Amino acid sequence: MRKLILAIFFFGSFIVAGFAQEFQIACTNGYFNNNTFCCGYTKANQANVGVIKFPNFVPPDNVGIVYSWYAVHPDGPKFWDTPVPGRVVPLPWSGEYKVYVLIHFIDKTTRQRVTSYRSNTITVKALACEGNKDGSQH
């Protein structure tokens, strides 16, 4: 019954306020132009991605939030669970990375998922920059 009440609360909050599609992420750095980097294994080869639009509501005290980050690349996907709305995404391979996050609301008592929402997907490009051993553009 408690889970049902929580689900109704969240569903009602999102429907009434129109927040169902308002989870958005964006890349907050990029060298050549927005969302473009050199591939590699240093700090210069990492995209800083974060939630930039989050519904304006406060979940009940007994509900926690888990962010499941995904970076999908043809050479292999990567994923991380974090308790924070931001993530550094390493870019070891050249090509395009499709990055998105699933935001899970978890009942702290039962540890069961109450509801989940998916963010938009952004594309982060990693280029094979010649002549730069550290992967930087300069």
Short mmCIF file of all heavy atoms in Angstrom, two decimals, residues 13-14 17 19 22-23 53-59:
data_model
loop_
_atom_site.label_atom_id
_atom_site.label_comp_id
_atom_site.label_asym_id
_atom_site.label_seq_id
_atom_site.Cartn_x
_atom_site.Cartn_y
_atom_site.Cartn_z
N SER A 13 2.31 14.20 -9.27
CA SER A 13 3.17 15.39 -9.29
C SER A 13 3.64 15.70 -10.70
O SER A 13 3.65 16.85 -11.13
CB SER A 13 4.39 15.17 -8.39
OG SER A 13 4.00 15.05 -7.06
N PHE A 14 4.06 14.67 -11.42
CA PHE A 14 4.57 14.89 -12.77
C PHE A 14 3.47 15.24 -13.76
O PHE A 14 3.66 16.08 -14.61
CB PHE A 14 5.34 13.66 -13.26
CG PHE A 14 6.69 13.55 -12.63
CD1 PHE A 14 6.94 12.61 -11.65
CD2 PHE A 14 7.71 14.41 -13.00
CE1 PHE A 14 8.18 12.52 -11.06
CE2 PHE A 14 8.95 14.34 -12.41
CZ PHE A 14 9.19 13.38 -11.44
N ALA A 17 2.01 18.90 -12.82
CA ALA A 17 2.96 19.98 -13.09
C ALA A 17 3.57 19.91 -14.48
O ALA A 17 4.29 20.82 -14.89
CB ALA A 17 4.06 19.94 -12.03
N PHE A 19 5.91 17.77 -15.60
CA PHE A 19 7.35 17.57 -15.50
C PHE A 19 7.86 16.28 -16.13
O PHE A 19 9.05 16.02 -16.10
CB PHE A 19 7.78 17.54 -14.03
CG PHE A 19 7.69 18.87 -13.35
CD1 PHE A 19 7.20 18.96 -12.07
CD2 PHE A 19 8.08 20.02 -13.99
CE1 PHE A 19 7.11 20.18 -11.43
CE2 PHE A 19 8.01 21.24 -13.36
CZ PHE A 19 7.52 21.33 -12.08
N GLU A 22 10.90 16.70 -18.34
CA GLU A 22 11.79 17.80 -18.02
C GLU A 22 13.12 17.39 -17.40
O GLU A 22 13.80 18.22 -16.82
CB GLU A 22 11.08 18.80 -17.12
CG GLU A 22 10.02 19.54 -17.90
CD GLU A 22 9.64 20.85 -17.26
OE1 GLU A 22 10.42 21.39 -16.47
OE2 GLU A 22 8.54 21.32 -17.54
N PHE A 23 13.51 16.16 -17.51
CA PHE A 23 14.85 15.77 -17.09
C PHE A 23 15.77 15.95 -18.27
O PHE A 23 15.63 15.25 -19.28
CB PHE A 23 14.88 14.30 -16.64
CG PHE A 23 14.23 14.06 -15.31
CD1 PHE A 23 13.03 13.41 -15.23
CD2 PHE A 23 14.84 14.48 -14.15
CE1 PHE A 23 12.42 13.18 -14.01
CE2 PHE A 23 14.25 14.26 -12.92
CZ PHE A 23 13.04 13.62 -12.85
N LYS A 53 18.21 20.32 -16.07
CA LYS A 53 16.79 20.63 -15.86
C LYS A 53 16.18 19.49 -15.08
O LYS A 53 16.17 18.35 -15.52
CB LYS A 53 16.09 20.81 -17.19
CG LYS A 53 14.74 21.46 -17.09
CD LYS A 53 14.21 21.81 -18.46
CE LYS A 53 12.92 22.59 -18.35
NZ LYS A 53 12.35 22.84 -19.67
N PHE A 54 15.72 19.81 -13.89
CA PHE A 54 15.15 18.83 -12.97
C PHE A 54 13.83 19.38 -12.48
O PHE A 54 13.73 20.59 -12.23
CB PHE A 54 16.12 18.62 -11.80
CG PHE A 54 15.84 17.41 -10.97
CD1 PHE A 54 16.39 16.19 -11.31
CD2 PHE A 54 15.04 17.48 -9.85
CE1 PHE A 54 16.15 15.06 -10.55
CE2 PHE A 54 14.79 16.36 -9.07
CZ PHE A 54 15.36 15.14 -9.43
N PRO A 55 12.81 18.56 -12.35
CA PRO A 55 11.52 19.06 -11.88
C PRO A 55 11.64 19.82 -10.55
O PRO A 55 12.43 19.46 -9.69
CB PRO A 55 10.68 17.81 -11.69
CG PRO A 55 11.29 16.83 -12.62
CD PRO A 55 12.76 17.13 -12.61
N ASN A 56 10.85 20.84 -10.40
CA ASN A 56 10.88 21.67 -9.21
C ASN A 56 9.93 21.11 -8.16
O ASN A 56 8.84 21.64 -7.95
CB ASN A 56 10.49 23.10 -9.58
CG ASN A 56 10.69 24.05 -8.44
OD1 ASN A 56 11.42 23.74 -7.50
ND2 ASN A 56 10.05 25.20 -8.50
N PHE A 57 10.34 20.02 -7.54
CA PHE A 57 9.57 19.44 -6.45
C PHE A 57 10.54 18.78 -5.49
O PHE A 57 11.67 18.49 -5.83
CB PHE A 57 8.52 18.44 -6.95
CG PHE A 57 9.10 17.09 -7.30
CD1 PHE A 57 9.03 16.05 -6.40
CD2 PHE A 57 9.69 16.88 -8.53
CE1 PHE A 57 9.57 14.82 -6.72
CE2 PHE A 57 10.23 15.65 -8.85
CZ PHE A 57 10.16 14.62 -7.95
N VAL A 58 10.09 18.54 -4.29
CA VAL A 58 10.92 17.90 -3.27
C VAL A 58 10.32 16.53 -2.97
O VAL A 58 9.17 16.44 -2.55
CB VAL A 58 10.98 18.76 -1.99
CG1 VAL A 58 11.81 18.08 -0.93
CG2 VAL A 58 11.53 20.15 -2.31
N PRO A 59 11.09 15.44 -3.19
CA PRO A 59 10.55 14.12 -2.87
C PRO A 59 10.40 13.95 -1.36
O PRO A 59 11.06 14.65 -0.58
CB PRO A 59 11.58 13.15 -3.44
CG PRO A 59 12.82 13.93 -3.62
CD PRO A 59 12.43 15.37 -3.76
#
